[in-house]
Amino acid sequence: MQHAFYGKNDSLFLILRFEDVREVLDVLQAASSYEYTVRNGVGAQSTVVTSDSLDLPVRSITDVEGEVTVRMALPGSVVQEPNVLQLILWNVLSGQERMGVKFKLPLTQQMLRKNYLLEHAKTGKPLFQNYVTTADKLVVKSFGGGTDPVNVQRFAADFGPALPPMAVEKGEVPRTLSAIDTKSFYPGDTIRFEEQGLYLFEPNTAFTRGLLVLPNHYPQITKTEEMLQPLIYLTTSEEREALLREADTKAAVDKFWIATGGDKNVARDLIRKFYSRVEMANKLFSSHKAGWATDRGMIYIIYGEPTNVSQVGSNITWIYRNRETAPYTKFVFTKKENTFTENHYELVRRRDYEDSWYSSVAKWRAGKINM
């Protein structure tokens, strides 16, 4: 679930997009209604401030396949700490069975002061994700008649890939970044980011937002240099150095996968599986760096789809289990404060992941990963 918002006339306007990027459920066809409650806290027992239930409008030919967009407005009087918006999107499955997709959003008074949206120039739809490409064009749309500029700073996005789950030594440490340059955009301006990096909109305000700018085909992997980078999770340091020394990157990557698979057909299947996971990690886990390079991206690429996912507070837990009675592997990710993104989670690393990690990597390298 992704969201965008702006304040106007003492109300908060929310645009919420529900999408199953894994394409298990066609949300556009299944979604029937939604209900929301504003409570003065995150718990189900917190006092209800306001609530409502609404049917979704009839689908039109202009709706995007596989996703549903909900637009709603909240009076400014309820948009304040410690209130939390709790929303459920109801999907009708087979027969009378229903499945609810839940979403929570803490509300703050500062949200009412954000009077602009970034929209895609081509479609006019809000920018939901926290990344764009160098080919994308955005428009600054202002609400409330203001003409003040939106200030944007650019930073270098020079962050390394995730360390293995058993690497309990210090990884990336928080650091102070210095802006490379600053620009201002006015309502109605069309923006195209020609330089890759991290961009910060309205820095030093209560409603600042970050944007990661990546090559024009992202989140897809189309260049051999990009195919080489995620192999850090499957190779030794000596192997990586040898791959990087090769003058022909494509030949080096092909050679690695053919050696791993034993023949071209198996190698082709391994490449398809591995890089489809890389692309999915990019879609789901991009933060202040590409999704494949994050902690969740690393685990997703090597282990695949979790058997079970749960979230309690700021912690997300993934469990991997081959069958109900088998031992399982559990990974816990903790949400961390990050100036540029709300999608930054760090893995709680433990030394006892070592056997599980090397076993999973060995399956890839033996060409025995489940296809």
Side-chain angles (χ1 to χ4, degrees), residues 142-170:
S142 178
F143 300 89
T147 58
D148 292 338
V150 175
N151 299 311
V152 184
Q153 294 178 338
R154 178 169 68 92
F155 301 81
D158 54 349
F159 302 97
L163 294 174
M166 63 283 188
V168 295
E169 66 270 18
K170 203 72 172 179

Side-chain angles (χ1 to χ4, degrees), residues 177-198:
L177 301 179
S178 298
I180 298 172
D181 58 44
T182 301
K183 294 183 179 181
S184 296
F185 300 99
Y186 288 82
D189 280 355
T190 299
I191 307 171
R192 180 175 177 179
F193 300 100
E194 297 180 353
E195 299 285 343
Q196 296 181 42
L198 274 171

Side-chain angles (χ1 to χ4, degrees), residues 9-226:
N9 297 335
D10 200 30
S11 294
L12 182 69
F13 293 83
L14 289 157
I15 307 101
L16 314 173
R17 184 175 73 175
F18 295 85
E19 176 188 16
D20 186 358
V21 296
R22 298 181 178 92
E23 300 180 349
V24 176
L25 174 69
D26 186 346
V27 182
L28 180 62
Q29 298 299 322
S32 60
S33 62
Y34 70 93
E35 61 185 63
Y36 72 86
T37 303
V38 175
R39 298 178 180 271
N40 66 349
V42 295
Q45 304 305 316
S46 301
T47 302
V48 174
V49 178
T50 185
S51 63
D52 203 351
S53 178
L54 301 100
D55 292 331
L56 291 170
V58 177
R59 303 288 170 260
S60 69
I61 197 170
T62 58
D63 287 330
V64 178
E65 183 178 354
E67 67 179 57
V68 164
T69 300
V70 172
R71 295 176 180 268
M72 59 183 297
L74 294 174
S77 59
V78 306
V79 183
Q80 58 181 302
E81 303 86 339
N83 292 351
V84 177
L85 170 67
Q86 302 181 20
L87 184 142
I88 301 178
L89 178 74
W90 290 107
N91 298 278
V92 178
L93 306 180
S94 58
Q96 298 298 312
E97 185 180 1
R98 295 201 307 165
M99 180 180 72
V101 179
K102 298 181 179 180
F103 165 72
K104 292 183 180 181
L105 178 66
L107 301 173
T108 67
Q109 288 181 321
Q110 289 86 350
M111 297 172 79
L112 296 168
R113 294 169 50 198
K114 180 177 177 289
N115 62 353
Y116 73 93
L117 275 182
L118 296 176
E119 296 183 345
H120 291 280
K122 186 176 181 180
T123 64
K125 294 187 176 182
L127 174 67
F128 290 104
Q129 72 269 19
N130 65 334
Y131 65 84
V132 295
T133 75
T134 52
D136 289 327
K137 293 182 179 180
L138 305 177
V139 173
V140 179
K141 184 172 182 180
S142 178
F143 300 89
T147 58
D148 292 338
V150 175
N151 299 311
V152 184
Q153 294 178 338
R154 178 169 68 92
F155 301 81
D158 54 349
F159 302 97
L163 294 174
M166 63 283 188
V168 295
E169 66 270 18
K170 203 72 172 179
E172 283 186 7
V173 296
R175 54 194 173 101
T176 301
L177 301 179
S178 298
I180 298 172
D181 58 44
T182 301
K183 294 183 179 181
S184 296
F185 300 99
Y186 288 82
D189 280 355
T190 299
I191 307 171
R192 180 175 177 179
F193 300 100
E194 297 180 353
E195 299 285 343
Q196 296 181 42
L198 274 171
Y199 289 76
L200 194 62
F201 284 72
E202 292 294 87
N204 305 316
T205 69
F207 42 86
T208 184
R209 73 161 292 177
L211 201 59
L212 179 64
V213 177
L214 292 159
N216 61 15
H217 46 267
Y218 189 85
Q220 297 178 332
I221 302 297
T222 61
K223 297 182 179 179
T224 51
E225 292 83 359
E226 297 162 351

